[in-house]
Each structure stands twice: as structure tokens, then as C-alpha cells.
């Protein structure tokens, strides 16, 4: 399995209407900012979710439409439960699509099963009638839900990636968080002197090491580096920013800064090495705290910092890899499609998003929704990095659009870090797989603008 968390993957109006009376045209009628989709307050709404917090918009919806019956059952097997309903033309009105048995979004898009969600973005936000819903979202989070240029899903949860460490350990040794790659290397040397392995990673899930390499490449060369990779452009994996990033990680290996045996560790093994202070740094996403909550030592101070740039003139100095996940979907054949679009608007309200963060210990795509909440050290550090990144959030989609290419890239990275593949062969091997994919007419291709 490539990743344990896969970033998975007409619209009703707020459009103006015209009417006629006595043969003369009437001026356009502006949509009601409080009800842009002309929701019937009497119509029932069915929301099916894989996680309980996907249903947190229901109380807000009920308050606005008190005569509507809203149900939000939880199912961990969305694919098994809902695929027959999509086939029969009787899907629910909203799906919160996540988990190991999530619906295959690409297939649903190909079958014309998902509504265009553009109207949700252009409608007034739930909280402010003079602010469009799109303007309350973090920048760069919508591309994951676009298919052939049309928004079919709004990914709701944001996963932030970086290097994890213990503030307790750093304070004990007087270490500072590195701001540049040379400072990171110097920190690794200090850790070795303290009889501590500087880095570890989940060798059995080498995608996470690849994630860090691609983040570093984008920080060096900018967003276009990864857009070209996503778009299967010729030579994208041979770009200088990519090759210097893989070389930088090769330097960690050459200097002996990566713990021996890391290539054999699974995610739990690598995370345990960090939490038992047998390794000082771990590249990972901010699910780490939730996954290891029961074994995080008291006072450990689990905290994240962003990968430091390679040099003093990076294209994205605040660059941070942020992966949007857990898509919200509205089926095209939903019995209450206006209500489904309205439910998404409710989920994008600040109050609902804040509740999701408070209850699930995860961040959402709603800008500033976690501000003012009492957060753990770990989640607070992820939030602060996300805030600081602004429009320099780094995303890519090739591994989700083309899982086989993602698998090739991850496996090549694992082979490189364990000394089984040379740096130039790493680039050439992945580029060859991308070129082969590009020529395969049986595979649907996607593009980023």
C-alpha cells in the first residue's frame, strides 16, 4: 500500500433568474445570501459519513431549517454501503468520504455521479454574507478536488508535514530548531555526539521520505517544480531542484545521520524510536499525535518544524507540505441536492470547523478555525506552521492520480536511502515510469493549472 492515508479523490445556483410579466423583462433577481441554493426547509437531508465529525454540520443545518429532518449515519465501509445506491440512482445528499473503504472518486466522476461544487465556493459564506465561501478557505487546498477543471470534491481535513522532535530533549541539550539546511546538518552532528541517532524514517513506507524530498525540491524551485511532476511534463523528475533535494538527503546517509535499521521499520517502529528518544528527528504528518497518543511520554513536548531550505534564496522560504484529505461530496442524483450544497456551506463555517478540530484533534481547510482553541503542543505547532506558510503551502497529486507512479517513486526512494540505488538512477527510474505513463492512453490524465 503506497500510503496509509491517501489523499482520495449541475451545480445548483445562486445564479440570477429573469422573469416575464405582460411581455416585458424584469430585472435580474439576486440570490438570497442566506439561502443561495433555494433550499426547501421541509426537505429531509441524508448525510453519510465515515467519521463522526463529518456530521458536525447537522446541528447548524437544523437550526437554520428547523422543519427539516437531518440524518448523519456513520459507516466505516462507504464503498460497500454506497456503491449500490449510486448504481441505483438513490445516493444520499452528502458523503464525507474517508477511511480504508472510501468511495473511488475518479470512478464516480467518470460516471457523472458527482455534482459540480463551484456554486458552493461562489456563494456567500455561512458566517459572512459579504464574503464568498472560497475566501474563508486556506490557499491551495482546492486542486485536489478538481477533475478536468471542475470541482467535484472539497477536501476538508488538512494534514501538515514536517520534522517532529521533542522540546524536552532539545531543552536538555540546548539545541535550537534549525533554520537552514547547514544548521540541520550541524544539529545532526550534535545529536551523534550525544549518542543519539539524528534521523529515522519508516523504511517500509518510503513515501514519507519521498514526501520530505519533494517538499525540499519545491522550497528550492517553487510551485512549478511539482506542477510539472503532476502534469507528467518531460524531464520533470530531472529538474535541478529535484536533483539537489535528493542529493541533500543522500548527504544525510553519507554522514551517517540516519539511524541504522530505519529501512526495516514500519510507521509504528519509526514513531516509537522518536518517542523513546532513540532518534531525534522524524519526517511525518500531524496524524502522529493521534496515532501514538497512548504512548507519548509526559513532558515530551511533541512538536513539529518545517523542513529548512537548502540555501539562503529559496523560492518558498515558508514552504510547508499540506495535504488536503477527507473529501466532501454531493451526488449529482441526490434527492435534495440544494440541501447537500447548503450542508457543505455549513461545514465550512468557522464554528463547525472549530468543533471538528476540538473533537478530532485535526486541522481543517477553514482559515483560522483553530485560532483561540486550547491545542496540544503538537497540533499547535502544526497550526502555527500552517498560518505562517500562507500562500506557500506545497501540494502535489501525482501519487493519488497515478498510484503506480507513486509506488515507483516511493520504492526508488527507499532503495536510494538504503544504498541500493544511485542518485542519478533514482531520477532516471522515476522519470522513465512517468514517461511510460504519459504514453499510456488507457489511463485518464489530469492537469494542474
Amino acid at each position: 500500500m503506497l500510503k496509509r492515508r491517501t489523499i482520495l479523490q449541475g451545480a445548483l445556483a445562486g445564479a440570477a433568474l429573469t422573469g416575464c410579466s405582460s411581455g416585458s423583462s424584469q430585472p435580474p433577481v439576486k440570490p438570497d445570501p442566506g439561502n443561495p441554493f433555494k433550499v426547501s426547509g421541509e426537505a429531509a437531508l441524508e448525510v453519510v459519513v465515515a467519521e463522526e465529525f463529518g456530521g458536525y454540520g447537522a446541528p447548524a443545518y437544523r437550526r437554520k431549517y428547523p422543519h427539516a429532518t437531518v440524518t448523519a449515519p456513520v459507516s466505516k465501509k462507504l464503498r460497500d454501503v454506497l456503491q449500490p445506491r449510486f448504481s441505483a440512482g438513490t445516493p444520499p445528499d452528502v458523503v464525507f468520504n474517508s477511511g480504508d473503504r472510501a468511495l473511488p472518486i475518479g470512478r464516480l466522476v467518470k460516471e457523472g455521479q458527482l455534482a459540480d461544487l463551484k456554486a458552493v465556493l461562489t456563494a456567500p459564506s455561512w458566517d459572512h454574507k459579504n464574503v464568498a465561501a472560497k475566501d474563508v478557505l486556506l490557499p491551495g487546498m482546492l486542486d485536489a478536488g478538481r477533475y478536468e477543471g471542475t470541482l467535484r470534491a472539497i477536501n476538508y481535513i488538512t494534514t501538515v508535514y514536517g520534522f517532529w522532535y521533542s522540546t524536552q530533549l532539545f531543552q536538555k541539550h540546548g539545541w535550537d530548531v534549525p533554520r537552514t539546511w547547514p544548521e540541520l546538518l550541524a544539529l545532526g552532528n550534535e545529536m551523534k555526539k550525544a549518542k543519539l541517532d539524528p534521523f529515522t524514517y519508516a523504511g517500509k513506507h518510503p513515501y514519507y521520505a519521498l514526501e520530505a524530498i519533494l517538499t525540499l525540491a519545491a522550497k528550492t524551485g517553487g510551485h512549478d517544480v511539482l506542477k510539472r511532476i503532476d502534469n507528467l511534463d518531460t524531464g520533470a523528475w530531472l529538474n535541478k531542484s529535484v536533483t539537489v533535494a535528493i542529493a541533500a538527503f543522500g548527504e544525510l546517509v553519507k554522514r551517517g545521520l540516519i539511524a541504522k535499521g530505519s529501512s526495516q521499520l514500519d510507521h509504528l517502529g519509526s514513531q516509537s524510536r522518536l518517542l523513546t528518544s532513540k532518534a531525534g528527528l522524524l519526517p511525518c504528518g500531524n496524524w502522529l499525535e493521534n496515532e501514538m497518543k497512548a504512548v507519548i511520554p509526559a513532558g515530551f513536548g511533541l512538536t513539529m518544524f518545517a523542513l529548512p531550505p537548502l540555501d539562503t534564496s529559496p523560492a518558498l522560504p515558508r514552504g510547508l507540505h499540506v495535504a488536503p484529505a477527507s473529501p466532501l461530496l454531493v451526488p449529482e442524483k441526490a434527492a435534495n441536492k440544494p440541501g447537500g450544497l447548503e450542508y457543505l456551506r455549513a461545514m465550512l463555517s468557522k464554528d463547525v470547523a472549530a468543533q471538528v478540530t476540538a473533537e478530532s484533534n485535526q486541522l481543517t481547510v477553514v482559515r483560522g478555525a483553530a485560532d483561540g482553541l486550547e491545542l496540544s503542543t503538537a497540533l499547535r505547532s502544526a497550526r502555527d506552521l500552517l498560518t505562517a506558510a500562507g500562500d506557500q503551502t506545497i501540494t502535489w497529486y501525482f501519487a493519488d492520480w497515478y498510484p503506480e507512479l507513486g509506488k515507483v517513486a516511493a520504492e526508488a526512494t527507499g532503495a536510494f536511502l538504503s544504498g541500493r540505488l544511485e542518485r542519478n538512477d533514482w531520477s532516471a527510474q522515476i522519470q522513465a515510469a512517468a514517461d511510460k505513463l504519459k504514453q499510456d492512453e488507457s489511463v485518464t490524465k489530469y492537469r494542474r493549472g
Side-chain angles (χ1 to χ4, degrees):
M1 185 169 163
L2 171 62
K3 291 191 286 184
R4 291 178 296 120
R5 296 159 184 79
T6 307
I7 306 172
L8 297 169
Q9 2 237 198
L12 287 181
L17 304 176
T18 58
C20 295
S21 176
S22 303
S24 61
S25 297
Q26 298 295 319
V29 178
K30 293 183 179 180
D32 177 2
N35 187 6
F37 309 121
K38 299 184 180 297
V39 173
S40 167
E42 306 290 333
L45 182 75
E46 182 187 9
V47 182
V48 179
V49 304
E51 304 287 348
E52 183 179 359
F53 57 79
Y56 284 4
Y61 190 98
R62 291 190 190 103
R63 285 193 295 272
K64 187 169 183 179
Y65 304 101
H67 299 295
T69 300
V70 183
T71 58
V74 178
S75 174
K76 297 294 184 181
K77 298 182 178 181
L78 293 180
R79 192 180 311 171
D80 307 304
V81 172
L82 294 183
Q83 274 191 335
R85 293 186 57 183
F86 273 95
S87 298
T90 58
D93 304 306
V94 179
V95 180
F96 187 75
N97 194 45
S98 62
D100 293 337
R101 298 296 295 168
L103 289 160
I105 295 181
R107 175 179 167 183
L108 293 177
V109 170
K110 191 173 183 178
E111 294 173 351
Q113 295 277 18
L114 299 181
D116 182 348
L117 301 181
K118 179 181 178 181
V120 176
L121 302 182
T122 57
S125 70
W126 189 270
D127 299 316
H128 306 286
K129 67 179 182 180
N130 295 322
V131 177
K134 64 182 179 181
D135 294 330
V136 306
L137 304 181
L138 293 167
M141 296 295 104
L142 294 173
D143 279 353
R146 296 191 196 279
Y147 293 81
E148 301 298 326
T150 301
L151 189 69
R152 303 293 182 182
I154 295 177
N155 287 35
Y156 192 71
I157 297 296
T158 58
T159 300
V160 177
Y161 291 81
F163 279 142
W164 289 98
Y165 70 101
S166 164
T167 57
Q168 183 183 64
L169 184 67
F170 272 47
Q171 289 168 2
K172 175 183 175 182
H173 292 280
W175 294 331
D176 294 324
V177 171
R179 295 164 297 178
T180 65
W181 198 260
E183 287 183 6
L184 181 70
L185 296 177
L187 173 62
N189 290 332
E190 289 298 317
M191 289 180 170
K192 285 185 69 175
K193 291 178 183 177
K195 308 299 182 184
L196 179 71
D197 288 322
F199 295 90
T200 190
Y201 69 99
K204 290 187 176 180
H205 303 287
Y207 180 86
Y208 300 126
L210 173 65
E211 175 276 324
I213 292 164
L214 292 179
T215 300
L216 190 58
K219 292 190 79 148
T220 301
H223 294 299
D224 284 347
V225 172
L226 296 179
K227 286 183 179 180
R228 294 186 71 240
I229 285 176
D230 283 343
N231 292 339
L232 304 178
D233 287 355
T234 301
W237 287 91
L238 306 178
N239 178 278
K240 183 179 179 181
S241 295
V242 178
T243 59
V244 297
I246 188 67
F249 274 80
E251 189 67 18
L252 299 181
V253 178
K254 289 179 181 179
R255 294 187 179 213
L257 299 181
I258 296 180
K260 292 181 179 179
S262 291
S263 63
Q264 302 303 314
L265 295 176
D266 63 8
H267 59 290
L268 296 178
S270 62
Q271 291 166 188
S272 294
R273 288 188 77 122
L274 175 76
L275 296 176
T276 55
S277 294
K278 293 178 180 177
L281 299 168
L282 171 73
C284 188
N286 72 288
W287 65 79
L288 173 62
E289 181 182 28
N290 281 351
E291 192 164 76
M292 304 297 284
K293 186 175 295 184
V295 295
I296 297 174
F300 186 83
L302 184 64
T303 306
M304 173 192 287
F305 67 85
L307 269 73
L310 280 176
D311 55 41
T312 56
S313 58
L316 302 174
R318 303 189 313 279
L320 182 75
H321 179 206
V322 181
S326 302
L328 285 161
L329 315 173
V330 175
E332 178 64 29
K333 297 179 181 178
N336 185 8
K337 189 161 66 169
L341 298 174
E342 182 77 338
Y343 185 84
L344 264 59
R345 208 166 65 99
M347 287 293 291
L348 298 179
S349 69
K350 197 166 184 178
D351 284 348
V352 172
Q355 184 187 5
V356 169
T357 293
E359 297 293 333
S360 71
N361 204 41
Q362 299 184 82
L363 301 172
T364 73
V365 296
V366 179
R367 190 194 305 266
D371 294 349
L373 298 179
E374 291 187 13
L375 304 177
S376 65
T377 301
L379 193 61
R380 185 169 64 249
S381 66
R383 180 204 62 190
D384 291 348
L385 288 173
L386 187 58
T387 300
D391 62 358
Q392 294 188 13
T393 54
I394 294 168
T395 56
W396 61 82
Y397 307 107
F398 76 93
D400 297 301
W401 289 346
Y402 315 114
E404 284 305 311
L405 177 58
K407 183 179 179 181
V408 168
E411 290 179 349
T413 301
F416 171 73
L417 293 178
S418 61
R420 294 178 286 113
L421 191 68
E422 295 296 323
R423 184 184 70 193
N424 290 342
D425 293 334
W426 177 88
S427 303
Q429 190 174 106
I430 304 172
Q431 186 62 59
D435 292 341
K436 182 179 179 180
L437 172 65
K438 186 175 182 178
Q439 300 303 320
D440 189 345
E441 296 181 357
S442 69
V443 178
T444 300
K445 307 301 192 304
Y446 304 100
R447 287 194 65 82
R448 289 177 66 184

